[in-house]
Amino acid sequence: MRFNRNGYTDGVGIAVVLAGTFAVGATITGAVGKVADIRYGEEEAQEYLEQNNYSDVTYRDTDLFLVGVRGCGTEDYVKYEFDATAPNGAEVGAIVCKGIFKGATFRQD
């Protein structure tokens, strides 16, 4: 990182630091998400929906990166996406969010 004569870094240096910080944060979040995924798994997420009276549950996808800003809470590290029939009979998209030190939660898309 370079400093100009006023003691401030140039814009390129700041951009590099921010990009590096984001990359490290995303990698750590993904690694923690993988641990949560190994300990829980899509089968358990599907069973969780079925225990809450959802039927015809079909697995769609698993996300490990930045799930806290993509439909889950800030303590969640893995997100499972499903298509399902809600207890009221409506066809819905459902997600199950899971952290390492908290139980699973589900939300409808």
Side-chain angles (χ1 to χ4, degrees), residues 40-56:
Y40 192 67
E42 68 188 56
E43 294 85 15
E44 288 85 355
Q46 180 172 344
E47 288 176 18
Y48 183 65
L49 286 173
E50 291 168 348
Q51 290 169 356
N52 284 281
N53 301 317
Y54 283 75
S55 60
D56 302 321

Side-chain angles (χ1 to χ4, degrees), residues 19-35 64-66 77:
T21 302
F22 178 78
V24 169
T27 301
I28 290 170
T29 301
V32 173
K34 191 61 181 167
V35 170
L64 302 175
F65 295 102
L66 302 173
Y77 291 100

